[in-house]
Amino acid sequence: MRVCLAILVLIVSFSPWADAQEVDPFSGWSEVSSSDFALLTNASPERGRDLLLRLERFRSLFARLSPDLELDSAVPLRILAFRDAEAYAPYKNGSDGGGLRIMGQFIRSRDGAFITLDADPGRRGALSAVYHEAVHDLVAHNFPAVPRWLDEGLAEYYGAFEERAGFARVGSPVERHLDWLQSETDLDLPAVLSVADRRDLHGAGGARRRVGRFYAVSWALVHYLLSQPEGTATLGDYLLRLLAGEDPNDALEESLGRSVAELEKDLVAYLQRREFASLVVAIEDLPVPAQVAVRAVDRSEVAVHLGDLLLLVGRRDLAAEHYDVALEGDPGNGEAWSGLAWIQDSQGSYEEAEVLHRKALEAGSREALTFVRLGRHRSVQKDADGARWAFAEAVARDPSFAEARALLGRSQGLPGGDPVAGIRHLKIAMVALPYRLDLAFDLVRLHLANGDPEAAERLLDGTLSRYGDAAKLDAARREVERTRQMLAYERALAAGDRSAALAAFDRAISVTDDSELKARMEAHLRALQRDAGR
């Protein structure tokens, strides 16, 4: 499956308010592509090819962690690599400060993702930032139950990917972590293993020390585990146990065959030896596609890519200027009209958005994102059939776009939908988005709409019982019971047992939390009771 990936390399300093005599920043672009990636660049094809192959080799090396890893992105992924810091500045999500310079970012959303970086060959740290964030994305895509320490430890370990003299290397010592580990004697491994989110690190009192310990010890533990002869197999076994729902600490002890206390002693001894072996692989042993193609890309397409990035980071006014640039060169650019429509939607200007969405359709947009935006617009307008049509069009254009598939499945729960089709689409989406518990709750609702409370209950007793929000779980269980009682009511009514039917209907009311639905059901019950008394 081909990853939708674009690398945009900007080699001239750009400002939308630049003097007209400056070089047009949207011209001179070409696409350099392989079977896995497509790079848009206005640098030389050789530079584009070098960047593409570095990404290919990183992907190949990370794949060695497990033969079953899903390496394709669940959303359209574009990478914008700017020639230097000056060119990068207008497109950063945030700004440099505090002695730190942003050299690379991974910006995610459900509709797509962007990697942005300073591609100056002298900025080696930029690619490290990209590798680090790419690992987070790959881990989330493949291992939804992974604990925080392993997620960060793997990102730090593989983020040190580098190529020198015909070899690729990961796992080189990270000096800032070594400095911390040398100055601190208490690893407090149980505390590191228990961190669930940022709130556990940034609470009152000693936050900086907790943060330093967490990242340093997480990196050291992953480095230690992967340095062992069976390290990769051990981690693989641990991940499978997590997917099966085992407690993270119990799973770790079972995979290692020792307690957390014993593991901490071994980790201390490993650090004291200060022998941090790297994983080194000959570049020739990392497979890359043999064929690379090049095509010219017009300025309107480039302007849309940059506009989409700006829209994603919340800079709507500047994004609109980029879409206008695209339309100046190509009034039939459906993706630019779609971007402008989505800006109006995000501001609540739905009538204006409707006009722009229609222009995108008239232009004949080929992109799935255009139809995802339209489907969301139709949903807000309570046009269930229109929303389903738009989401189906998005899936037809890009079957690998998991969010489009999820939205199509969810839309089948709207009035007039087909729950069976919705269940099918949601199951496909959940394979690509295993960490999205909201989709599992949507699937519960579709099973109930299909009259299958047993299937809904199996979902609630599985992954959702371990990781789902307690309040949502309670509400969903009540809805399962309400559906079960309503089915019992219908069966009793069909059998002519009005007493059993009324009792089942009364039990359905007792587990209903929705006040409006409960009031309607109570009124209906009173009518049923009056009819029964005649």
Side-chain angles (χ1 to χ4, degrees):
M1 188 182 301
R2 190 170 186 266
V3 178
C4 181
L5 181 77
I7 295 187
L8 311 179
V9 182
L10 183 59
I11 63 169
V12 295
S13 175
F14 167 66
S15 169
W17 44 85
D19 187 281
Q21 294 181 346
E22 293 187 5
V23 176
D24 180 358
F26 302 112
S27 297
W29 296 79
S30 60
E31 179 187 72
V32 183
S33 62
S34 67
S35 57
D36 294 318
F37 300 125
L39 291 79
L40 298 181
T41 176
N42 64 352
S44 68
E46 290 75 18
R47 176 59 174 158
R49 186 175 187 276
D50 177 62
L51 290 169
L52 180 147
L53 293 179
R54 285 174 183 270
L55 289 167
E56 291 277 12
R57 287 190 287 267
F58 174 76
R59 190 171 184 263
S60 295
L61 187 61
F62 188 82
R64 294 187 172 207
L65 184 63
S66 170
D68 299 322
L69 284 178
E70 176 55 65
L71 299 176
D72 288 344
S73 177
V75 297
L77 174 62
R78 289 172 279 186
I79 299 181
L80 289 78
F82 300 88
R83 174 178 176 263
D84 54 29
E86 185 179 3
Y88 187 16
Y91 299 100
K92 290 180 181 178
N93 185 21
S95 57
D96 300 332
L100 298 175
R101 172 175 289 175
I102 296 172
M103 292 189 291
Q105 296 179 308
F106 197 123
I107 306 167
R108 302 173 182 83
S109 80
R110 292 182 176 182
D111 292 345
F114 279 90
I115 290 176
T116 66
L117 70 148
D118 180 345
D120 185 332
R123 303 285 185 191
R124 292 175 58 190
L127 281 175
S128 294
V130 169
Y131 298 144
H132 179 105
E133 295 300 331
V135 171
H136 282 312
D137 196 58
L138 287 166
V139 168
H141 190 23
N142 288 274
F143 307 112
V146 72
R148 184 89 182 186
W149 70 265
L150 183 54
D151 187 18
E152 291 297 345
L154 286 170
E156 289 290 279
Y157 183 89
Y158 282 95
F161 178 84
E162 58 183 349
E163 298 180 15
R164 291 184 185 176
F167 290 90
R169 178 192 305 269
V170 292
S172 297
V174 179
E175 294 301 325
R176 66 181 183 282
H177 296 328
L178 290 180
D179 290 344
W180 191 95
L181 292 164
Q182 189 170 11
S183 64
E184 296 283 343
T185 57
D186 181 14
L187 299 185
D188 197 0
L189 186 58
V192 171
L193 297 179
S194 69
V195 170
D197 55 42
R198 292 182 182 276
R199 289 172 295 183
D200 295 334
L201 295 174
H202 295 283
R208 178 174 294 183
R209 189 164 181 262
R210 283 196 301 274
V211 170
R213 173 188 290 114
F214 174 74
Y215 285 97
V217 174
S218 295
W219 166 80
L221 181 55
V222 167
H223 203 290
Y224 165 70
L225 293 175
L226 289 176
S227 73
Q228 305 306 300
E230 300 298 323
T232 300
T234 298
L235 273 183
D237 179 74
Y238 176 54
L239 291 167
L240 288 175
R241 290 177 181 275
L242 291 174
L243 288 173
E246 292 187 26
D247 175 81
N249 283 3
D250 291 344
L252 185 61
E253 291 184 341
E254 288 294 325
S255 295
L256 293 173
R258 58 197 133 148
S259 68
V260 169
E262 292 170 327
L263 174 61
E264 182 165 1
K265 291 180 181 178
D266 292 340
L267 180 58
V268 168
Y270 177 73
L271 293 171
Q272 288 174 344
R273 290 196 297 271
R274 298 188 66 81
E275 297 175 359
F276 302 102
S278 302
L279 172 62
V280 180
V281 179
I283 286 178
E284 63 186 19
D285 292 334
L286 295 175
V288 297
Q291 300 297 320
V292 174
V294 179
R295 73 171 177 90
V297 181
D298 66 41
R299 67 194 306 273
S300 293
E301 183 178 343
V302 172
V304 168
H305 285 303
L306 293 172
D308 285 349
L309 168 65
L310 292 164
L311 189 57
L312 182 58
V313 301
R315 302 178 67 185
R316 292 187 298 215
D317 290 345
L318 192 52
E321 292 183 25
H322 282 62
Y323 296 136
D324 287 340
V325 168
L327 291 170
E328 287 172 5
D330 178 12
N333 190 311
E335 290 73 48
W337 288 117
S338 173
L340 291 172
W342 191 240
I343 290 173
Q344 295 300 320
D345 273 319
S346 65
Q347 296 171 335
S349 302
Y350 301 117
E351 291 184 6
E352 292 85 347
E354 176 67 24
V355 173
L356 294 167
H357 280 299
R358 289 186 180 278
K359 286 182 176 292
L361 287 178
E362 292 168 2
S365 174
R366 301 181 302 276
E367 296 297 323
L369 180 58
T370 296
F371 291 90
V372 165
R373 289 167 172 167
L374 175 62
R376 289 207 178 100
H377 172 79
R378 294 279 187 260
S379 296
V380 171
Q381 300 302 301
K382 308 299 183 185
D383 179 3
D385 289 337
R388 279 189 287 270
W389 175 83
F391 294 139
E393 289 292 312
V395 170
R397 282 160 176 75
D398 186 357
S400 67
F401 190 172
E403 181 64 15
R405 178 83 64 175
L407 290 167
L408 177 57
R410 180 180 291 165
S411 70
Q412 299 298 339
L414 299 174
D418 179 357
V420 174
I423 290 167
R424 183 178 70 254
H425 288 301
L426 274 181
K427 285 183 175 179
I428 295 172
M430 289 171 65
V431 172
L433 302 170
Y435 51 90
R436 288 279 301 280
L437 296 184
D438 60 310
L439 300 184
F441 280 110
D442 288 335
L443 190 54
V444 166
R445 286 187 281 272
L446 283 171
H447 278 306
L448 295 178
N450 194 42
D452 191 353
E454 286 72 25
E457 195 162 45
R458 285 194 295 272
L459 272 172
L460 293 174
D461 290 340
T463 301
L464 287 175
S465 68
R466 295 190 294 272
Y467 306 111
D469 177 79
K472 289 183 179 179
L473 274 169
D474 181 64
R477 291 191 188 282
R478 286 175 173 274
E479 190 62 19
V480 167
E481 184 59 24
R482 186 184 76 83
T483 300
R484 186 174 280 119
Q485 293 303 327
M486 289 302 297
L487 290 171
Y489 158 75
E490 292 173 0
R491 288 193 299 269
L493 204 61
D497 189 345
R498 299 181 68 85
S499 176
L502 291 173
F505 201 96
D506 188 48
R507 288 193 296 271
I509 291 174
S510 71
V511 296
T512 301
D513 286 331
D514 187 319
S515 58
E516 291 185 9
L517 176 59
K518 191 167 189 173
R520 292 197 302 270
M521 292 178 69
E522 288 173 340
H524 186 60
L525 178 62
R526 288 192 294 271
L528 291 171
Q529 290 169 335
R530 286 195 299 270
D531 290 343
R534 290 175 183 173

